[in-house]
Amino acid sequence: MKNWVGIDCGSQTSQYKNELTWQTDEGFIKTGENKWISPNSKTKLDQLRTLRVFKEQNKNCYSLPAPTTDRYFIRAMFHYGNYDGLSNPPTFDLQFDGNKWITVQTSLSDTIFHEVVYASKGNNISVCLARTQDNQFPFISMLEIWAIPDDSYDIMTRDKAWIKAYRYSYGGSDVILGYPEDRLNRIWVPMTPQDLNAVKANFTTLDYTTVNYPPDEAIIHAVESPLPSESILLQPFTITEMTRLDHVSVYFTEIVQDINAIRTFDLYVNGKWEFTITPQYKNCTGYMINTRSFTFLNVELFPSFDSTLPPIISAIEVYTATDSLVSAGTSQDDLDGLAVLIDSFEQLKGWSGEPCLPSDTVWQWLACTGSYVNPPRVTSINLSGYGLNAHLPDFSQMQALETINLSNNSLSGPIPDFLGNLPSLTLLDLRDNGFSGEIPRSITDNNKLTYYLDGNPNLDQPKKKNLALIVGLAVGIPIFLLLVIAVIIIVYFSKRKPPAPSPVQATELQMGETNQNENTFVTVTTEAMVKPNSIEQTTLQSEGESFTSAPNGTHANMPIHANGYSAEISGEDISSNINSEINNHQLGVQDIDEEELNDLLRQHGSTGANVRT
């Protein structure tokens, strides 16, 4: 086999079997634990007695050599064997080069294996096991890769991978065929449908084969319909991915040589005629068809009208194409930056393979843009608490980073200046480390960057941006200014002198107070109203107390006591109020006399009030 590599996963030593050397995991992967299956689990293959399980990382990748651009067969085999004593075989995803291969559902007793045909794009092919459910830890028992001859499966396009769905050897014994019987190392499962007859050729080897080099043992055994006139309808092949393309390879030979007999029939796939077949004695003739199936793939052989022998078939293979392959993996700049981090820290040595694809199993300490961006970019690094204990290397080529969290480690040395120059970075968390020196200006002067540096005792005190403080000030300052303006307005209007009330309002006020308290007596001189220039004294009396205003138009404040209440008024207020009230009643000051004034006061209900001149 060309470029064959076989890994006996979980084994401590290499083994030589059937002219092939099975290697250990070392050199292909750096993560995982080696385990033995339970002694109660039986298997015929020595390579299935051990396995490698992955409990730490969410994705663990083998790097398999693929030195040529050939198409490669890749096979992964899983034998749970109750290695953990839990009787709980896990389910997980299998991937290659950032493409999903298949969801693996392991069995408590059976061995499960999956194969894929894939064209290499570089020097290595990454095969990854990804944890998709909590406490469902991926494991693997065997892993193989080998190149396919160029003339085999040549109608399988290189823009897709082709997953093996079925491979049957019809009419044979219960022995599963593989290497060395099959030079291409395929595994052929024996199958004899109940309504068909198992037959065997009268020769043991083939002279030649036309396609794909099936093993002779798989071809010299066959099944045929009971009667020459009866067709063969193979049990429908279930196809889970209805929107994908399927590949069918079928193989035939004539098992007896009889010049008087004719065996010819038509091949239909999914109801469509494909070929008229006349098998040849001691030769294998094969036919390949690409078709699209819906739930089931149907293969039928209808005898021709002149055929004297029934339809016959020796073997069949069915493959299903994947969706279009990833055209571009994670940006090379990001891959280079991640390689720098992995090389710098022992804690990251186990990470390999495609970091951002498939998008549902990104490395657990990264976030990426996803497959909708081509190529995907790494947008976040979260290595908080990973125990990193060296200087921080330069990964400035990772220009799409938006957040970096390296808190709670033992990183030392100066903070690199490039961190503040990453164009998309908005959050930088370096708390609880051992950084020292000054904070780069590229960080402190970056207005769009929020950074945290607490817990670095050897670091110069940073001018830390506090997002809560910024938000608080942004909201609080405008509110404070509004309150200040409101206070100024209130103070301004409170200090404005209110307009003097009209004489009528003043008189009504004074008289109303008199009515409410008949024990209060007010003595007002009217001299100021009749002869303003001759005012010498205004006296108010209340319960035996009197207060006198200053002469010559000046006024003193006068306390007033009534029924236990007290207030202070000025003579100026009394005079102006009375004068305003009289003016509002359109009374001429120059014509009023004492009698008229008394009548006016009586009209306003000034009972108990005495007016003195």
Side-chain angles (χ1 to χ4, degrees):
M1 288 183 292
K2 181 180 178 181
N3 297 329
W4 179 85
V5 173
I7 303 173
D8 182 3
C9 303
S11 176
Q12 300 289 345
T13 59
S14 298
Q15 300 183 46
Y16 186 74
K17 297 280 185 179
N18 295 326
E19 302 179 354
L20 299 174
T21 300
W22 289 87
Q23 304 181 57
T24 66
D25 302 89
E26 302 301 323
F28 302 101
I29 195 169
K30 295 182 179 179
T31 56
E33 304 174 56
N34 294 339
K35 298 289 185 179
W36 287 87
I37 64 172
S38 168
N40 297 325
S41 179
K42 306 299 182 182
T43 178
K44 295 180 180 180
L45 287 176
D46 291 339
Q47 293 92 332
L48 297 181
R49 300 186 189 279
T50 60
L51 58 83
R52 195 170 183 96
V53 62
F54 306 94
K55 296 184 177 181
E56 299 299 327
Q57 301 178 178
N58 71 321
K59 184 156 63 175
N60 301 266
C61 301
Y62 285 83
S63 181
L64 304 180
T68 63
T69 57
D70 292 318
R71 289 170 302 147
Y72 284 81
F73 260 122
I74 307 173
R75 178 161 59 226
M77 195 170 290
F78 310 90
H79 184 74
Y80 171 63
N82 200 26
Y83 78 91
D84 54 3
L86 300 177
S87 300
N88 184 28
T91 297
F92 49 88
D93 277 357
L94 198 58
Q95 305 166 354
F96 58 91
D97 281 354
N99 301 277
K100 181 175 179 179
W101 177 349
I102 201 167
T103 295
V104 180
Q105 295 179 319
T106 58
S107 169
L108 186 61
S109 57
D110 295 335
T111 299
I112 307 298
F113 71 96
H114 297 284
E115 295 176 0
V116 65
V117 176
Y118 173 59
S120 173
K121 294 180 174 61
N123 295 324
N124 296 278
I125 295 176
S126 173
V127 175
C128 303
L129 297 93
R131 184 172 70 242
T132 56
Q133 302 178 36
D134 292 340
N135 298 318
Q136 297 275 300
F137 300 116
F139 74 90
I140 188 168
S141 303
M142 293 171 56
L143 184 59
E144 300 174 76
I145 183 173
W146 65 98
I148 300 174
D150 291 339
D151 59 352
S152 296
Y153 305 100
D154 54 3
I155 70 170
M156 289 183 177
T157 58
R158 297 174 66 94
D159 63 333
K160 301 179 184 298
W162 298 83
I163 300 171
K164 191 236 26 162
Y166 303 93
R167 187 184 293 119
Y168 293 139
S169 170
Y170 289 116
S173 63
D174 293 336
V175 177
I176 296 176
L177 298 176
Y179 189 84
E181 289 80 14
D182 185 338
R183 58 182 290 188
L184 294 187
N185 196 30
R186 291 160 296 190
I187 293 176
W188 299 82
V189 177
M191 170 68 69
T192 300
Q194 293 181 353
D195 56 342
L196 300 178
N197 296 330
V199 294
K200 183 179 179 181
N202 60 5
F203 54 86
T204 57
T205 59
L206 294 167
D207 290 341
Y208 70 88
T209 184
T210 58
V211 295
N212 303 339
Y213 310 104
D216 290 357
E217 188 67 20
I219 302 305
I220 63 177
H221 293 272
V223 291
E224 63 180 12
S225 58
L227 299 172
S229 59
E230 291 185 359
S231 60
I232 292 177
L233 174 59
L234 297 177
Q235 182 176 355
F237 301 94
T238 302
I239 303 298
T240 57
E241 299 291 343
M242 294 186 294
T243 61
R244 295 177 178 176
L245 195 64
D246 301 313
H247 172 88
V248 182
S249 290
V250 286
Y251 306 93
F252 308 92
T253 191
E254 182 54 71
I255 59 174
V256 294
Q257 189 173 29
D258 185 351
I259 59 174
N260 296 318
I262 299 174
R263 193 194 304 267
T264 181
F265 49 88
D266 292 319
L267 170 64
Y268 284 78
V269 177
N270 287 335
K272 178 185 176 184
W273 176 87
E274 297 291 349
F275 300 100
T276 296
I277 299 169
T278 301
Q280 300 177 23
Y281 183 69
K282 297 191 70 175
N283 295 330
C284 174
T285 54
Y287 300 86
M288 295 184 294
I289 305 101
N290 287 343
T291 184
R292 196 172 300 277
S293 304
F294 299 92
T295 306
F296 299 104
L297 185 147
N298 296 293
V299 177
E300 300 170 281
L301 305 175
F302 290 98
S304 300
F305 70 94
D306 56 347
S307 180
T308 61
L309 296 175
I312 192 172
I313 184 172
S314 294
I316 190 169
E317 294 180 90
V318 177
Y319 296 79
T320 297
T322 63
D323 293 329
S324 296
L325 298 175
V326 171
S327 59
T330 302
S331 165
Q332 189 60 48
D333 285 341
D334 291 341
L335 293 177
D336 293 342
L338 292 173
V340 169
L341 289 169
I342 291 170
D343 290 341
S344 301
F345 301 109
E346 186 66 29
Q347 297 84 347
L348 303 180
K349 297 295 185 183
W351 290 96
S352 62
E354 172 56 51
C356 290
L357 296 173
S359 58
D360 58 344
T361 53
V362 174
W363 288 2
Q364 64 195 35
W365 49 280
L366 299 179
C368 301
T369 54
S371 56
Y372 58 87
V373 175
N374 193 11
R377 299 302 307 265
V378 176
T379 59
S380 176
I381 292 176
N382 185 354
L383 289 170
S384 178
Y386 268 64
L388 309 181
N389 55 1
H391 286 203
L392 193 61
D394 185 347
F395 50 94
S396 57
Q397 59 269 68
M398 301 180 71
Q399 295 282 295
L401 282 171
E402 298 173 3
T403 63
I404 298 175
N405 186 352
L406 300 175
S407 63
N408 194 26
N409 286 291
S410 299
L411 297 170
S412 58
I415 296 177
D417 184 71
F418 78 86
L419 291 174
N421 293 323
L422 292 171
S424 300
L425 194 66
T426 58
L427 178 62
L428 176 65
D429 193 344
L430 302 179
R431 288 176 290 184
D432 300 320
N433 279 287
F435 288 112
S436 59
E438 296 183 355
I439 312 304
R441 293 291 298 273
S442 63
I443 293 177
T444 58
D445 292 346
N446 190 337
N447 294 327
K448 68 177 183 179
L449 177 62
T450 300
Y451 58 90
Y452 299 94
L453 302 172
D454 300 344
N456 289 278
N458 299 322
L459 195 64
D460 292 349
Q461 186 66 30
K463 297 177 181 180
K464 178 180 174 183
K465 292 184 180 181
N466 192 315
L467 183 60
L469 178 60
I470 293 173
V471 173
L473 290 175
V475 175
I477 288 177
I479 294 176
F480 175 75
L481 290 176
L482 289 174
L483 290 175
V484 170
I485 293 172
V487 170
I488 292 173
I489 293 173
I490 292 171
V491 172
Y492 171 77
F493 282 105
S494 67
K495 290 185 176 181
R496 289 187 62 186
K497 189 172 182 179
S502 66
V504 173
Q505 293 173 331
T507 302
E508 289 178 350
L509 176 62
Q510 297 293 337
M511 297 304 103
E513 292 176 353
T514 301
N515 289 336
Q516 293 175 6
N517 187 358
E518 294 182 356
N519 295 324
T520 300
F521 298 91
V522 179
T523 302
V524 181
T525 178
T526 61
E527 196 64 32
M529 300 179 188
V530 180
K531 298 178 181 179
N533 294 332
S534 63
I535 293 177
E536 292 186 2
Q537 178 175 299
T538 301
T539 303
L540 297 177
Q541 291 184 345
S542 176
E543 295 184 354
E545 296 189 26
S546 63
F547 304 92
T548 306
S549 67
N552 300 325
T554 61
H555 307 278
N557 293 335
M558 298 178 293
I560 297 177
H561 301 272
N563 289 344
Y565 293 93
S566 64
E568 187 176 80
I569 62 172
S570 67
E572 179 181 3
D573 293 335
I574 296 174
S575 298
S576 61
N577 288 342
I578 294 176
N579 288 334
S580 298
E581 180 68 78
I582 295 172
N583 288 336
N584 285 343
H585 281 77
Q586 298 180 350
L587 297 176
V589 175
Q590 66 275 19
D591 297 328
I592 195 168
D593 57 18
E594 180 175 312
E595 184 178 352
E596 291 174 339
L597 178 59
N598 286 329
D599 291 337
L600 178 62
L601 292 176
R602 282 193 297 272
Q603 292 175 10
H604 285 274
S606 56
T607 305
N610 294 322
V611 180
R612 298 179 181 178
T613 57

